[in-house]
Structure formats: C-alpha cells, structure tokens
Amino acid sequence: MRRGWVAAAAATMVVLTACSGGSGGTSSSAASPAADPAKVSGDITVLTNRTDQIKDGSLKKYADEFGRTYPNVTVKFEGLTDYEGEVKIRMNTENYGDVLLIPDNVSITQYPTFFAPLGDSAELSKTYNWTDYTTVKDKVYGIANYGTATGLVYNKAVWQQAGVTQWPKSTQEFIDDLKAIKAKGQATPYYTNYKDAWPLQKWTDNIGGPSCDQGGKDKLSTTAEPWAAGQDLNAIDGLLYDTVHEKLSEDDPTTTNWEKSKTLLGTGRIGAMLLGSWAVPQMQAAATAAGQNPDDIGFMPFPQATGGKLCTIIQPDYKYAVNVHSKNKEAARAWIDWYLNKSGSAQAEQAVSSVKGSPLPASLKPFETQGVTLLLGQNQVNAAVISKIDKGSEIGLGSPDYRQKLVDTARGAAQGDMNSYFADLNKKWAASQKTVTG
C-alpha cells in the first residue's frame, strides 16, 4: 500500500543500494528544497514498505533516474516487511532512515519531535494535496506519497454471474448482493484479511463516506457516541459485523492470507474486499499471473448513498517525512520532491497524485461517469483532539484490534452482539472525550 505490500511474517529487512554519488551534507532543523541539484550531496537511506519494488527493480530504476538530476546523492533503500512494527521500534533511537513513511501509530502531536519541517503550510498547500494531515502550527512535516479512493475492490465477473450489475447504494443492498454471490456457491463473497490485520484498519478511512461529509471525522471530537445509529462508524462497522454474522465471509478468519487473497480475488474465488483503490493494480497483476482477465477487477464506493448519490473519500497514502536527526536533510528533501513530481510513480500505481491538478487514474474513471461524489480527504481541524480522545479511550481507530474483536463477536468467538459492542465503544469514547475536552 501502500500497506498492501506488507507481509504477515515477522519483520525482515531487504537492503538495496542504488545510484552513485558523494557523501557529506549538514544537519539543520528544516528540510528545505534544493536550489541547485549539482550542489546537493550526501548518502541517504529511504525506508519503504514496498519490498516488492526492491525485488522487481522498480526502486532502483527510480533512483537511477534521480541520480541523473542529483549526481552527488547516493540513495539506499531499506524494505521492511513489518513496516509499522519495525519503524516504531527504530524510532526509539535516531536511526530510522533519512526519508521514511510516517507510521500510522505516530500521533500528529509528535511530528515535530521525530520529523524535520518541510515548509509553511500556506506555501506547500499550493502544490500538494493533503498537507493539512501533517501540519502542526503552520508547518508541514510530511507530504503524501499519493492518494487513493476508499471503497471496495471486487471481481466484476463474480458479481455479474450472481446477477448483480449495479453498485449497491445501501449497506442492506450490499448484504443482499453478497448473499446472491454465496447462492452461486463458486466464491467467498467477502474476505476480511483478519489474520494480517492491517486491512481492517482501512474501514476507518471510509469515515465521511456514508454521510458524504468531508468533516465527518472531525465531528468525532464533539460526537459522544460515534457508533450510534445514523453515525458513519455505525454504518461502517455495522456492515462489517453483518457481513461476518451472516456468514458471507471466509469460514475461518484466523487463517486468512493477504498475498493469497490477491490471487483468490483475481481468479474469482473472492467477491470483494474493502481496501483502497491502490489495490486494483495488485489484483489485476494477480489475475494476469493466474491467466485470468485483469479487466474483471473493479472498484466501487462504500455502499451507502446520501441523497441518492454515492460518495468516496480520496485518502492520502503514507506521507513522506525527513528524519529530524538526518545529517543530509537537503538530499532527503530532494528525493521526496523528485519522487513525487518527476518519477511518475503515482501514475504507475493508478493512484491520485498528491500534486494538485493531476488527472484521475483509469481505475477511478467509472466514478466520474457514474456521478460519484469525490471528497478530497477528511478535514483535519480537530485531528489532534481526536487523537487524544482515541488514545484515552484505548479503542484505536487507526489499529486493527477493535475490529478484530468486532469480527470475533460477529462470528460468535467473543461474547456479546453488535449492539452491546457498539454500546461499549460509545461508553469508552464518551468518557475519554469528556476528559480531553471537558
């Protein structure tokens, strides 16, 4: 993913050195853009979750191209299979690369502690989308790799064989469609990827979609019961619960396998998975490798229309940042600027470029033709407050744990039902909110 390339195994590290160049550089508080590429020098390490791009040589090609503009910079990549877990440990030291993807488990209030400022928000927001996600006191600490739509990747052939030809516009329609797929007996309607866990985090990205409200997540700071009827999280987590409870997902979620799931969906043995649109090219590649038609892979919005129209949030992917302890901040910033503006990586991933004015990828063209409302991210005005409430509640909106328990409850492996579980979540959230906001 983005996170889609993170394997379930324990963290391992693959190291690749690309480009030739000099060493040196100086440490400063900010990571400013380079004025003259010929004068930029230094050895930089880029941490990445894309071990696949190390193995297939994609990152080396990008680094080679970068080296033509910045001949005195050496780029080394470290690919981490358990990116979140490994980087979290390394951030207890000063050794977490020169350029890295900001882990989800790092609070925005901690950004100035770990990352160098990249510039003023007023200036950078003219060039890049989603800078508000990493802005602290008018300084930007990270720039999104790219953006992806929230929704579901699905096998169009499976849905058509079940007689479903239109995108569902309500969660009940979605459940009915999954039942139609199950009735055919040829595919598992939905796959949770429970064991790998991180795909369950992706459900949170849909906040704002059911209500078609870009401020949907911001409202969590003043909403005492986010899982009450009519709230986004009620629709989002309620759909996951119903899908599992109605036995429309895999028989044993504890045995799921992310890498295997790509082939299963690509070959029509899985109907759908909730992921970002970044997953489309991965499923298409899996279909092609298995001798199936990659055009069978499609992407649909979260199934909850507002005013008759479906909506989707275009979420930023991981954000690139510069280690505040880096001795080569100028070279590190040069890599980020070049990669986002010159490499063409977003287009290659069928993603929405973070550079403003870039066209939508092919996978999202159906959203335009079918009139889906595209909301560019979730408002971040109250992000710090929400992070504090979430931490105090011990729920973890950005972690998979509470949804794993939701799945366990839905399948009868944990006590309670959806109503009791939502009531417990609401109680925890309300108590923490009261403590944080008074």
Side-chain angles (χ1 to χ4, degrees):
M1 324 173 271
R2 166 153 191 104
R3 295 163 243 272
W5 292 100
V6 180
T12 60
M13 182 172 69
V14 181
V15 180
L16 166 71
T17 301
C19 289
S20 60
S23 61
T26 58
S27 176
S28 62
S29 59
S32 302
D36 184 353
K39 295 181 179 179
V40 180
S41 64
D43 298 341
I44 62 171
T45 297
V46 179
L47 304 187
T48 179
N49 62 330
R50 297 300 299 268
T51 56
D52 62 298
Q53 290 190 336
I54 290 179
K55 292 176 182 177
D56 69 15
S58 298
L59 285 179
K60 182 179 186 304
K61 290 179 181 178
Y62 288 137
D64 288 344
E65 292 177 22
F66 171 78
R68 297 187 185 101
T69 303
Y70 294 90
N72 299 313
V73 178
T74 298
V75 182
K76 180 175 73 175
F77 300 100
E78 291 186 13
L80 308 175
T81 55
D82 177 18
Y83 185 85
E84 294 275 336
E86 178 74 7
V87 176
K88 182 178 180 180
I89 294 172
R90 290 178 63 165
M91 288 177 69
N92 290 316
T93 71
E94 295 183 1
N95 179 26
Y96 46 96
D98 296 283
V99 177
L100 70 156
L101 304 164
I102 299 177
D104 287 339
N105 51 32
V106 177
S107 169
I108 189 172
T109 59
Q110 296 178 300
Y111 287 6
T113 301
F114 294 107
F115 313 121
L118 303 179
D120 294 333
S121 59
E123 190 62 30
L124 285 175
S125 64
K126 295 176 183 178
T127 301
Y128 299 105
N129 292 314
W130 306 296
T131 55
D132 53 336
Y133 277 71
T134 58
T135 295
V136 180
K137 295 182 179 180
D138 298 323
K139 295 293 183 182
V140 175
Y141 289 86
I143 302 176
N145 181 19
Y146 48 66
T148 60
T150 56
L152 296 109
V153 61
Y154 70 109
N155 189 297
K156 291 183 284 186
V158 170
W159 286 61
Q160 290 167 358
Q161 289 163 9
V164 182
T165 57
Q166 301 291 327
W167 287 342
K169 289 191 173 183
S170 71
T171 53
Q172 185 56 55
E173 284 185 17
F174 183 80
I175 293 296
D176 291 342
D177 291 343
L178 294 187
K179 288 180 178 179
I181 292 172
K182 184 177 182 178
K184 288 291 182 180
Q186 298 175 349
T188 299
Y190 185 83
Y191 198 79
T192 65
N193 267 304
Y194 173 103
K195 184 178 180 181
D196 287 85
W198 61 262
L200 292 173
Q201 297 172 227
K202 302 305 106 205
W203 288 77
T204 296
D205 290 344
N206 288 273
I207 296 176
S211 59
C212 202
D213 182 1
Q214 200 164 2
K217 191 170 185 180
D218 246 8
K219 291 179 180 177
L220 292 177
S221 64
T222 56
T223 302
E225 298 185 340
W227 286 269
Q231 300 294 330
D232 280 351
L233 279 168
N234 180 278
I236 292 167
D237 288 335
L239 180 59
L240 176 59
Y241 182 95
D242 288 343
T243 298
V244 176
H245 188 65
E246 294 288 341
K247 301 187 185 304
L248 300 170
S249 56
E250 68 281 345
D251 293 333
D252 184 1
T254 65
T255 62
T256 61
N257 182 288
W258 161 247
E259 291 298 332
K260 184 179 179 180
S261 75
K262 291 187 280 188
T263 298
L264 292 174
L265 190 137
T267 56
R269 285 177 284 173
I270 290 175
M273 296 189 286
L274 189 140
L275 296 163
S277 57
W278 52 263
V280 172
Q282 296 188 32
M283 306 301 164
Q284 290 176 331
T288 300
Q292 300 298 310
N293 185 1
D295 293 336
D296 283 343
I297 309 303
F299 194 77
M300 71 172 73
F302 187 88
Q304 184 64 57
T306 298
K309 284 194 173 184
L310 292 164
C311 297
T312 190
I313 305 290
I314 307 295
Q315 284 280 23
D317 193 74
Y318 272 130
K319 296 89 180 173
Y320 277 109
V322 174
N323 184 343
V324 72
H325 304 292
S326 172
K327 300 299 190 294
N328 292 300
K329 292 186 176 69
E330 189 178 40
R333 176 61 185 278
W335 168 258
I336 292 176
D337 287 345
W338 180 90
Y339 186 75
L340 297 180
N341 289 275
K342 302 295 184 181
S343 71
S345 58
Q347 291 81 357
E349 296 292 320
Q350 291 192 41
V352 180
S353 174
S354 60
V355 180
K356 288 189 171 181
S358 301
L360 287 176
S363 60
L364 296 184
K365 290 298 181 182
F367 281 49
E368 286 186 319
T369 58
Q370 297 199 38
V372 177
T373 300
L374 305 179
L375 301 176
L376 197 62
Q378 299 159 325
N379 292 347
Q380 300 296 302
V381 177
N382 301 322
V385 174
I386 294 168
S387 179
K388 290 179 181 178
I389 295 172
D390 186 39
K391 183 177 181 179
S393 71
E394 297 184 343
I395 292 174
L397 290 176
S399 71
D401 297 3
Y402 94 86
R403 284 202 180 90
Q404 284 185 319
K405 185 177 179 180
L406 177 66
V407 171
D408 288 341
T409 304
R411 67 190 182 96
Q415 292 185 342
D417 57 19
M418 184 175 72
N419 290 334
S420 65
Y421 189 52
F422 283 3
D424 183 56
L425 292 173
N426 282 329
K427 182 180 179 180
K428 290 179 178 178
W429 189 269
S432 181
Q433 183 189 75
K434 186 176 182 179
T435 299
V436 171
T437 63

